[in-house]
Amino acid sequence: MKRIVLASESPRRYHLLKNLGLEFEVQAPKIVENIKEGLKPDQQAVELARAKAWSIARRLHSGVVVGADTVVVIGESILGKPCDRNHAIEMLALLSGKRHQVITGICVIDCESGLSLEGAETTEVYFRCLSREEILVYVDSGEPYDKAGGYGIQGLGALLVDRIEGCYYNVVGLPVARLYCMLKQVGIDILARGWEHGIGLPRNY
C-alpha cells in the first residue's frame, strides 16, 4: 500500500481524509503563501497547492503527496486568510449579500514515478445580507482567522450562507470527489479501500 502524505496543516483537510478511512501522515509544507500578480484565481490556487506538495515530495523517494490550497474570490479580489480582526470584518462585509467563488487547487505527486497531477474545483457560494452585529459576533467567535475568506461553512459560518452551487467539501477545503479521481490515477482507490473496511463519511468534521 502506497504511503500517503498530506502537505497541509489544515484540520479540516485532515478530518476529511480521516473520515474517508485513509491512513496517512501530515507534514507541514515550508512555503510562503504569497498571492502572485497576473495569475487567475484557479491558477493561483493550483500554484500554491503545487508549491506545498513539492516542498514535501522533493524530500521523499516513495509515496504519494497531496497538496491543496483554497482561495475565495469576489469580483476581481482574491481573499486569503484575515490577518486581524478588522481585516476579518472587512472581508465579511464585502461578502455580505453577494455571490463569491471558493476555489481549491489540488496537486497529487507520486514520488516514485514523478507523476504530478493538478486540478482546481470551484463552488459558487451565496451569502445572506449580514447585519453589522452578526459580523461582529461571528468575528469575535474566533472562527474566521485561519480560513480563506474569513469564514468556515462547516462551523458557525454555515449561518452566514444562503446556498451553494457545487461541491460542499470544496468550501470546507478539499473537494474529495476530485481527489478520489486523482488518487485513482496513481494507484490508490479510496472507495475500494473504504468498502473493504466498512467505512463511510460521517459529518463530524
Side-chain angles (χ1 to χ4, degrees):
M1 196 66 67
K2 289 186 177 181
R3 170 191 187 191
I4 301 173
V5 180
L6 176 62
S8 173
E9 293 183 289
S10 163
R12 277 82 59 191
R13 295 187 185 116
Y14 173 87
H15 287 299
L16 283 172
L17 286 186
K18 205 70 177 174
N19 286 339
L20 289 171
L22 280 178
E23 293 183 3
F24 63 97
E25 60 189 87
V26 173
Q27 292 192 28
K30 306 296 184 184
I31 70 162
V32 178
E33 296 187 37
N34 289 328
I35 295 176
K36 294 186 178 180
E37 298 292 332
L39 291 181
K40 295 179 180 179
D42 59 337
Q43 294 173 327
Q44 175 71 40
V46 170
E47 173 84 10
L48 288 173
R50 181 192 306 124
K52 290 178 180 179
W54 276 111
S55 75
I56 303 301
R58 66 171 57 99
R59 306 198 302 261
L60 306 178
H61 300 292
S62 62
V64 172
V65 178
V66 176
D69 189 80
T70 301
V71 297
V72 170
V73 182
I74 182 165
E76 300 297 319
S77 301
I78 298 177
L79 307 183
K81 301 170 185 176
C83 57
D84 56 31
R85 184 175 186 271
N86 287 337
H87 193 201
I89 292 170
E90 290 173 8
M91 282 188 179
L92 293 169
L94 180 63
L95 297 176
S96 175
K98 301 188 183 102
R99 180 192 68 173
H100 63 273
Q101 293 78 42
V102 177
I103 304 174
T104 299
I106 306 178
C107 180
V108 173
I109 301 170
D110 187 325
C111 300
E112 188 171 356
S113 68
L115 176 63
S116 176
L117 304 172
E118 300 174 352
E121 186 82 17
T122 300
T123 301
E124 303 282 342
V125 181
Y126 296 77
F127 257 36
R128 294 188 304 101
C129 289
L130 307 177
S131 68
R132 174 75 174 178
E133 182 182 3
E134 286 177 313
I135 291 174
L136 294 178
V137 169
Y138 180 66
V139 168
D140 289 340
S141 75
E143 193 173 89
Y145 294 107
D146 65 338
K147 299 170 182 68
Y151 74 97
I153 197 171
Q154 74 285 356
L156 285 173
L159 304 177
L160 314 180
V161 176
D162 178 56
R163 69 187 189 276
I164 70 169
E165 295 174 0
C167 176
Y168 167 80
Y169 297 107
N170 183 51
V171 187
V172 178
L174 192 64
V176 293
R178 180 179 284 268
L179 178 62
Y180 164 66
C181 295
M182 295 171 76
L183 288 176
K184 279 189 73 174
Q185 294 182 63
V186 295
I188 298 173
D189 191 333
I190 301 174
L191 187 59
R193 289 169 66 175
W195 177 258
E196 288 169 2
H197 294 90
I199 296 167
L201 183 61
R203 297 180 181 274
N204 63 348
Y205 41 82

